[in-house]
């Protein structure tokens, strides 16, 4: 009987891909980890216990068939592993790079609970699809049938919009994606630094969609180049997948200073510079951390992107100010560890109270009583004030939706009290018939993997709606079943 390639978690220790030394990786924006060699990927996949109830899959928003493609990888059947991993995800190698696996699949791995260390799921997922690209296995989408008599317009070329576009093209529709930026990808391109996600990885996904017959219209701003109503006249159905870009503000003396910038402005400038663009805010030093004492306010993944970008730009010092403790930080603990390795100082239980020229006045915080969610609320310690040198302050406090009804010229587009689009959660349709919404613009700022999931889900709702429309619309293609 052949040797079982699985269940090796007792004899084989957990091993992630080797990271480049912190001092070297802090000098560039390349990804920090080297790729697995084939043998190492097979070895680590073989640690999977093939448990009867795969908590890794149930805690993955996409419910990826993780144990199955781990087994295929361990057996050296990489093409089959790729086909299975891509059956549930339009961006497996992207999610493998940027998902917080420590909170999702790997954090719920059964052998992690047993003390043997989780299977390195994200790194293996990345390895599988990177191999597929290298071997030429990733091909354009082939429509199941021709439904191009019906067209779909998608507003937003981020992960939700692109995922929906791929699935809808697979159903055969004529798909048009509109985005106000000059490159597709949304925050995958402009919000996430290259050391987490190199831009070529996103770019090849965009090109694959173009090769699949999807029309991507860049530099197209809804409200300026066409109203929502005008787009409705062009297409049989619309999807709004704009994401959320409005920075949350803080009220404190001196907050309007030129030395205080928004996280997304800072990250976009850095990413554009990496593309070779001329970026005025970077050229004049406003959005460049070189030689400066930098303070980043916030504790999520965006804050981690900002502190690690500042290190690479040659900041004199980089500190992260967060009002809770490490255990209550919303960002990935792996990202915190990477930042610490690269020289970032974390100032826990601290919040800014005023901004002066070249300084941040802050106060110590303490965790008080739990709120309705069970999370302890931070409160100021009246005797804990201190000052930090700060030539550049980056506010990374999260994102809220923009005023889409006003921007799109569509006052009938209903929103919630948080500004997100209101949808019927059974149909994912907004208050306007035939206009659907998905991703962060519905759920609020969240993870890329949830955006991919929402794009997948809304494509099926739109497909069902379009088939019904084809049955009753004059002149429509009647073969909609």
């Amino acid at each position: 009987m052949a040797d079982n390639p699985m269940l090796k978690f007792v004899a084989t220790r957990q091993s992630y891909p080797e990271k480049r030394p912190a001092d070297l990786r802090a000098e560039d924006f390349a990804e920090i980890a080297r790729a697995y060699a084939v043998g190492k990927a097979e070895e680590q996949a073989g640690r999977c216990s093939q448990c009867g109830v795969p908590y890794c899959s149930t805690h993955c928003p996409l419910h990826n068939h993780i144990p199955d493609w781990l087994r295929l990888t361990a057996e050296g059947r990489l093409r089959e592993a790729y086909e299975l991993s891509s059956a549930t995800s339009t961006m497996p190698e992207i999610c493998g790079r940027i998902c917080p696996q420590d909170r999702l699949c790997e954090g719920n791995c059964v052998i992690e609970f047993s003390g043997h260390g989780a299977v390195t799921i994200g790194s293996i997922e990345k390895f599988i699809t990177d191999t597929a690209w290298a071997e030429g296995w990733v091909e354009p989408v082939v429509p199941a049938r021709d439904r191009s008599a019906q067209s779909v317009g998608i507003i937003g070329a981020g992960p939700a919009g692109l995922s929906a576009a791929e699935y809808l093209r697979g159903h055969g529709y004529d798909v048009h994606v509109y985005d106000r930026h000059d490159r597709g990808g949304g925050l995958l391109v402009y919000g996430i630094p290259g050391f987490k996600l190199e831009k070529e990885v996103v770019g090849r996904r965009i090109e694959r969609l173009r090769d699949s017959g999807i029309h991507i219209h860049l530099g197209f701003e809804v409200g300026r180049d066409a109203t929502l109503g005008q787009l409705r006249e062009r297409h049989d159905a619309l999807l709004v997948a704009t994401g959320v870009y409005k920075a949350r503000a803080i009220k404190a003396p001196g907050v309007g200073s030129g030395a205080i910038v928004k996280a997304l402005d800072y990250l976009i400038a850095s990413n554009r510079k990496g593309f070779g663009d001329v970026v005025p805010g970077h050229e004049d030093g406003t959005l460049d951390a070189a030689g400066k004492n930098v303070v980043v306010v916030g504790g999520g993944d965006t804050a981690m992107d900002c502190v690690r970008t500042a290190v690479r730009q040659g900041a004199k010092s980089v500190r992260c100010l967060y009002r809770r403790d490490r255990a209550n930080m919303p960002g990935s603990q792996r990202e915190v560890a990477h930042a610490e390795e690269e020289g970032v100082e974390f100032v826990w239980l601290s919040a800014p109270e005023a901004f002066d020229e070249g300084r941040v006045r802050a106060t110590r915080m303490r965790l008080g009583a739990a709120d309705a969610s069970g999370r302890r609320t931070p409160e100021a310690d009246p005797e804990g004030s201190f000052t930090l040198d700060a030539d550049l302050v980056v506010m990374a406090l999260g994102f809220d939706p923009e005023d889409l009804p006003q921007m799109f010229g569509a006052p009938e587009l209903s929103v919630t009290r948080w500004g997100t689009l209101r949808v019927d959660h059974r149909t994912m349709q907004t208050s306007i018939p035939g206009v659907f919404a998905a991703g962060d613009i519905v759920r609020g700022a969240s993870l890329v993997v949830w955006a991919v999931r929402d794009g997948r889900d809304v494509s099926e709702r739109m497909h069902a709606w379009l088939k019904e429309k084809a049955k009753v619309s004059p002149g429509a293609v009647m073969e909609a079943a």
Side-chain angles (χ1 to χ4, degrees):
M1 182 176 178
D3 181 46
N4 185 351
M6 309 308 293
L7 310 174
K8 303 293 181 67
F9 60 90
V10 175
T12 304
R13 298 184 63 179
Q14 180 194 65
S15 177
Y16 285 94
E18 182 185 4
K19 289 187 290 186
R20 294 188 293 140
D23 58 338
L24 295 181
R25 70 188 195 228
E27 295 178 355
D28 59 45
F29 282 84
E31 291 181 10
I32 72 169
R34 298 183 171 91
Y36 272 138
V38 174
K40 197 69 172 178
E42 293 176 354
E43 172 199 84
Q44 289 299 304
R47 298 181 67 249
C48 176
S49 65
Q50 297 288 293
C51 52
V53 180
Y55 293 125
C56 57
S57 294
T58 58
H59 284 85
C60 169
L62 290 165
H63 300 314
N64 288 331
H65 306 302
I66 296 170
D68 297 322
W69 50 251
L70 286 173
R71 185 181 185 99
L72 289 168
T73 301
E75 293 173 349
R77 298 157 65 186
L78 282 180
R79 184 157 192 167
E80 293 170 79
Y82 160 68
E83 291 169 352
L84 191 57
S85 84
S86 62
T88 52
S89 175
T90 58
M91 302 179 179
E93 78 280 27
I94 293 174
C95 290
R97 284 167 163 85
I98 64 175
C99 265
Q101 287 95 5
D102 53 335
R103 302 206 310 262
L104 298 173
C105 53
E106 293 180 22
N108 292 279
C109 176
V110 167
I111 65 171
E112 171 76 6
F113 300 153
S114 71
H116 291 91
V119 177
T120 55
I121 297 168
S123 299
I124 297 169
E125 181 179 36
K126 169 186 169 183
F127 166 80
I128 291 169
T129 311
D130 282 352
T131 300
W133 280 102
E135 295 294 329
W137 302 336
V138 184
E139 299 174 339
V141 177
V142 177
R145 58 176 299 166
D146 183 10
R147 292 188 172 90
S148 60
Q150 289 180 292
S151 72
V152 176
I154 297 174
I155 304 169
L162 294 178
S163 293
E166 180 169 333
Y167 286 114
L168 287 164
R169 183 62 188 143
H171 287 304
Y173 298 106
D174 180 32
V175 180
H176 293 254
V177 180
Y178 302 91
D179 196 276
R180 60 186 170 184
H181 294 105
D182 56 349
R183 295 180 177 91
L187 291 181
L188 295 176
V189 167
Y190 284 134
I192 298 176
F195 52 77
K196 286 172 62 177
L197 177 61
E198 291 180 353
K199 303 312 168 189
E200 294 81 1
V201 175
V202 182
R204 66 191 182 189
R205 282 281 165 195
I206 304 290
E207 288 308 307
R208 174 176 174 268
L209 295 181
R210 284 198 175 100
D211 293 342
S212 303
I214 294 171
H215 309 280
I216 301 177
H217 308 274
L218 300 175
F220 188 104
E221 187 170 333
V222 181
R224 181 193 66 192
D225 299 300
T227 65
L228 189 70
Q230 289 169 332
L231 284 183
R232 288 184 72 203
E233 292 175 1
R234 294 185 195 177
H235 300 289
D236 293 280
L238 288 179
L239 169 63
V240 182
T242 57
V244 292
Y245 280 80
K246 180 182 175 183
R248 289 178 185 160
I250 186 173
K251 293 182 178 179
V255 77
S257 162
I260 301 172
V261 302
K262 299 172 183 175
L264 197 51
D265 291 346
Y266 177 64
L267 293 172
I268 288 175
S270 177
N271 280 311
R272 281 194 176 280
K273 187 70 176 176
F275 279 115
D277 296 351
V278 176
V279 185
H282 200 280
E283 300 299 322
D284 66 18
T286 306
L287 297 171
D288 186 3
K292 297 178 181 178
N293 295 303
V294 178
V295 173
V296 175
V297 181
D301 287 335
T302 299
M304 297 305 96
D305 293 343
C306 290
V307 294
R308 298 180 66 202
T309 294
V311 168
R312 285 158 175 78
Q313 289 181 344
K316 183 178 179 181
S317 68
V318 184
R319 295 183 177 90
C320 182
L321 209 61
Y322 182 55
R323 62 181 182 160
R324 288 186 167 92
D325 59 11
R326 183 172 189 147
N328 286 280
M329 193 174 193
S332 166
Q333 290 296 324
R334 287 181 189 170
E335 287 299 300
V336 176
H338 293 156
E340 288 178 327
E341 291 168 0
E342 293 165 5
V344 176
E345 178 185 347
F346 286 85
V347 187
W348 307 110
L349 290 165
S350 302
E353 57 182 14
F355 302 92
D356 299 326
E357 182 98 20
R359 294 186 306 165
V360 173
R361 283 188 284 135
T363 185
R364 296 290 179 190
M365 306 293 287
R366 60 193 178 197
L367 296 180
D371 59 17
S373 69
R375 198 177 186 200
R376 293 175 66 188
T377 304
E379 56 187 35
D381 181 343
E383 298 183 2
S385 294
F386 62 98
T387 302
L388 293 175
D389 291 334
D391 306 305
L392 175 64
V393 179
V394 183
M395 307 302 290
L397 301 171
F399 305 98
D400 289 322
E402 297 162 288
D403 186 353
L404 292 194
Q406 190 275 330
M407 289 174 61
F408 287 0
E412 69 275 28
L413 191 61
S414 181
V415 299
T416 69
R417 62 190 177 96
W418 299 281
T420 52
L421 291 187
R422 190 186 305 277
V423 298
D424 179 330
H425 289 284
R426 292 176 298 107
T427 64
M428 299 182 77
Q429 201 161 178
T430 68
S431 57
I432 302 176
V435 179
F436 298 75
D440 287 4
I441 194 58
V442 174
R443 67 168 64 244
S446 188
L447 302 173
V448 166
V449 67
W450 275 113
V452 174
R453 163 67 184 272
D454 291 345
R456 187 179 75 187
D457 289 350
V458 78
S459 68
E460 291 307 308
R461 309 299 199 284
M462 295 176 76
H463 178 44
W465 190 85
L466 285 162
K467 287 196 295 182
E468 290 302 313
K469 183 177 181 179
K471 292 176 182 178
V472 300
S473 297
V477 177
M478 300 306 294
E479 301 176 42

